[in-house]
Amino acid sequence: MASNQEKRKEEEKENGVKEEKKQLPLMALNHVSRLCRSVKESIEFYTKVLGFVVIERPQAFDFDGAWLFNYGIGIHLVQSKDEDRLPSDKHGLDPMDNHISFQCEDMEAMEKRLKEFDVKYMKRTVEDENKTGIDQLFFNDPDGFMIEICNCENLKLVPAGSMSKIKLPLDRHNPPIQLTNGTTN
């Protein structure tokens, strides 16, 4: 004898109703892991320049490293045992290369901070087709991993597919999203 749930599924199939795909239980980016030439130098950079805070790291890890946290994001620093795994060019800046990006609400203050710490950076502004400007600052951490600071909240997210596939955290800032009827949320 079929259960009520099985009967409902059969009826939905007969009526052409598609079964919705179950959403994944993912919530947000937890952390980014970075190899380091010197964990100590990287801690100094991420705490002083970017305002991260050192947090407790499980003692079970049997390698040198540190955990940092702020802005809802963790950065896990790991002492590299192989110099070849780190960027060879510690000073080059190419926005088309791998990087992590942080949302910023005051680009002028961030640029001033980079100058205070004598961090070499590249500044640019790009516009979308609606002439909405996005300011970007690109710079490297002590190991040559590129970081971007941007005010990308100026850009509207326009899903290329179904809006129902985007899952946004309700307790954080989110960029505006264009809904299917052209209105912005």
Side-chain angles (χ1 to χ4, degrees):
M1 184 165 187
S3 70
N4 287 339
Q5 187 177 9
E6 290 171 336
K7 286 180 185 177
R8 191 177 74 245
K9 284 183 181 182
E10 286 178 31
E11 288 174 9
E12 288 174 353
K13 283 181 185 178
E14 289 173 14
N15 295 329
V17 177
K18 291 182 182 177
E19 207 174 306
E20 283 189 39
K21 290 184 180 179
K22 201 171 192 179
Q23 280 196 350
L24 293 175
L26 302 178
M27 299 180 326
L29 177 66
N30 179 269
H31 71 272
V32 174
S33 180
R34 288 290 188 219
L35 290 175
C36 305
R37 288 178 176 85
S38 165
V39 171
K40 183 179 176 183
E41 284 182 33
S42 292
I43 289 172
E44 187 171 327
F45 175 84
Y46 282 98
T47 57
K48 290 184 178 178
V49 176
L50 294 177
F52 278 83
V53 176
V54 177
I55 61 171
E56 292 293 322
R57 179 175 173 250
Q59 293 179 355
F61 290 118
D62 61 352
F63 54 90
D64 191 22
W67 284 9
L68 310 173
F69 187 83
N70 212 348
Y71 321 111
I73 303 166
I75 295 180
H76 293 186
L77 303 174
V78 177
Q79 181 65 49
S80 178
K81 293 179 181 179
D82 182 0
E83 187 82 17
D84 292 338
R85 295 183 64 197
L86 296 164
S88 57
D89 181 4
K90 290 175 45 174
H91 305 290
L93 295 171
D94 179 0
M96 298 298 291
D97 206 348
N98 292 322
H99 61 276
I100 58 174
S101 179
F102 295 99
Q103 182 69 26
C104 181
E105 60 187 0
D106 187 345
M107 295 296 288
E108 289 178 18
M110 192 64 224
E111 186 173 7
K112 182 179 176 185
R113 184 151 184 116
L114 292 176
K115 287 177 182 177
E116 285 173 15
F117 285 96
D118 200 28
V119 175
K120 177 187 164 198
Y121 65 93
M122 171 195 296
K123 180 179 180 178
R124 72 179 196 170
T125 300
V126 293
E127 290 183 349
D128 68 6
E129 58 280 351
N130 298 320
K131 304 291 184 205
T132 301
I134 304 140
D135 299 313
Q136 299 171 301
L137 299 170
F138 292 93
F139 54 96
N140 291 329
D141 76 1
D143 298 296
F145 291 108
M146 190 165 44
I147 297 169
E148 173 189 2
I149 305 292
C150 69
N151 59 354
C152 295
E153 84 278 358
N154 295 342
L155 269 187
K156 192 184 311 175
L157 292 180
V158 181
S162 172
M163 179 64 199
S164 66
K165 293 180 183 176
I166 293 180
K167 185 175 180 181
L168 297 171
L170 299 176
D171 61 340
R172 292 187 188 88
H173 169 79
N174 294 301
I177 298 176
Q178 181 171 327
L179 303 174
T180 54
N181 63 4
T183 61
T184 301
N185 186 18

